[in-house]
Amino acid sequence: MGFGSYDESEQETQERDEDENAEAVSVHENEHDGEVKFESDMSTEGLVDKLDKIKDTDDEDDD
């Protein structure tokens, strides 16, 4: 057989080691509608200024 080809008869007889009685995993099990809070003495403007300085420093490091 060439590259990428397969024998379809082999696909029909594949065995799986899956436990048919296993419970499904719920991706919504740990969801919650919470809120995030943090305390800071800095104003929003001060935080934005600090972020701008960090970005400027990162830009200088990339050069």
Side-chain angles (χ1 to χ4, degrees):
M1 286 188 209
F3 178 76
S5 61
Y6 64 93
D7 184 357
E8 289 182 12
S9 64
E10 291 178 7
Q11 300 298 317
E12 295 171 6
T13 59
Q14 285 186 350
E15 294 182 21
R16 296 184 178 189
D17 294 333
E18 296 175 7
D19 183 3
E20 293 180 10
N21 296 324
E23 293 182 27
V25 175
S26 172
V27 295
H28 303 287
E29 182 177 338
N30 294 318
E31 283 187 356
H32 60 89
D33 294 326
E35 59 184 61
V36 176
K37 294 181 181 180
F38 63 95
E39 294 181 19
S40 174
D41 294 335
M42 294 183 73
S43 66
T44 302
E45 185 177 325
L47 291 170
V48 171
D49 289 343
K50 187 172 183 176
L51 177 62
D52 286 339
K53 288 178 186 177
I54 292 170
K55 285 182 177 181
D56 290 342
T57 302
D58 286 346
D59 289 342
E60 290 172 5
D61 291 343
D62 290 342
D63 292 337

